[in-house]
Amino acid sequence: MNPRIDWSAVRERVVALEEAKRGAGGLGTYPVFEPVLSPDEIAEVEAQYGVGLPDEYRAFLAEVGAGGPGPEFELTSLRRIGGSWGWVWDDDEAHPWLLDPDGPFVETEGWAAQQVATLRAAGHEPTDRGEEDHYLDDYREAFGDAGDELLYLERGRGAIHISDDGCGMTTWLVMVGPHRGELRHRDCALDPPFEPSVDARGNRHSFGTWYLEWLERRERAAR
């Protein structure tokens, strides 16, 4: 177990780095923090999805912000849209990520077997496992036009897209299952794999250690 993450002054530290970058004439746009969420709002999110948010992420939402700067570009923003909560990337509220809590996040080594189980439950015997370790053609045969989206949504089941790292790289926070609270990296151009996010010693990151490692790395680079 990690000791409780101390989020005090984290928002101010990140804002100072962003302002220094602007002052130095850095190019591009700069993400800003979303407002923090109230205890009642966090309770709404948990009630909507029927799961408890990982403790470090819940504390971040309450003490730092519901989105904002972070590894590597910025965090997705947890927002209420039309009466329900979802995770938004790049202000695209028309396509929020909605957590599917119906089963645990499937680790990469179990993903092929999960696809086979889904296809057989639909009465389709898998035949064509692609080079990227998926049965996309079989999903298209079994589910028609919905096959692509179903495969994509099922692969992210039990997790949320927490940040976009650029060049097709993404980071996911596991919300359901034995690895709840851990981070997974995914190269969207090579579907899957999902790989655990680890620190310099090879220990798996939690949300808090992942975020603070990024912040401390940026602070060292700015000295």
Side-chain angles (χ1 to χ4, degrees):
M1 291 288 292
N2 292 317
R4 186 182 185 280
I5 296 292
D6 180 5
W7 293 113
S8 63
V10 164
R11 184 180 178 117
E12 291 77 9
R13 289 163 62 190
V14 174
V15 168
L17 286 167
E18 294 296 322
E19 290 179 346
K21 188 176 179 180
R22 288 190 189 91
L27 299 177
T29 58
Y30 301 91
V32 297
F33 279 111
E34 300 269 349
V36 298
L37 299 186
S38 69
D40 287 346
E41 288 173 323
I42 293 173
E44 281 183 21
V45 176
E46 294 180 323
Q48 176 181 323
Y49 290 109
V51 298
L53 300 176
D55 291 344
E56 293 174 358
Y57 182 55
R58 183 194 293 112
F60 184 92
L61 296 172
E63 299 175 41
V64 183
E72 290 292 331
F73 291 156
E74 61 184 295
L75 302 177
T76 51
S77 297
L78 179 54
R79 297 178 184 172
R80 187 195 282 115
I81 305 167
S84 62
W85 292 88
W87 284 265
V88 175
W89 169 249
D90 200 25
D91 285 326
D92 184 7
E93 293 191 352
H95 302 93
W97 179 262
L98 304 177
L99 171 67
D100 180 354
D102 290 340
F105 174 76
V106 179
E107 296 296 326
T108 292
E109 56 269 23
W111 174 227
Q114 175 65 39
Q115 294 170 80
V116 169
T118 296
L119 290 164
R120 286 177 175 164
H124 181 91
E125 186 62 28
T127 58
D128 186 13
R129 184 169 173 174
E131 291 182 3
E132 285 112 11
D133 202 25
H134 60 55
Y135 289 89
L136 178 57
D137 288 343
D138 283 295
Y139 268 67
R140 288 169 173 168
E141 279 190 44
F143 303 106
D145 292 342
D148 291 67
E149 184 176 11
L150 178 61
L151 184 75
Y152 172 71
L153 294 176
E154 189 172 45
R155 188 63 185 99
R157 185 186 67 185
I160 61 168
H161 175 200
I162 196 66
S163 78
D164 192 309
D165 306 335
C167 299
M169 305 297 289
T170 54
T171 300
W172 298 70
L173 176 61
V174 179
M175 304 289 279
V176 181
H179 297 287
R180 175 177 172 271
E182 294 182 1
L183 280 295
R184 296 290 183 270
H185 287 309
R186 180 192 186 208
D187 183 345
C188 292
L190 299 172
D191 183 21
F194 279 76
E195 301 292 348
S197 174
V198 297
D199 62 19
R201 297 181 179 180
N203 298 315
R204 293 189 177 190
H205 273 309
S206 64
F207 176 84
T209 62
W210 171 73
Y211 194 87
L212 291 182
E213 181 183 76
W214 165 77
L215 173 55
E216 291 161 4
R217 186 171 66 245
R218 282 198 63 191
E219 288 175 329
R220 288 194 300 270
R223 290 182 188 136

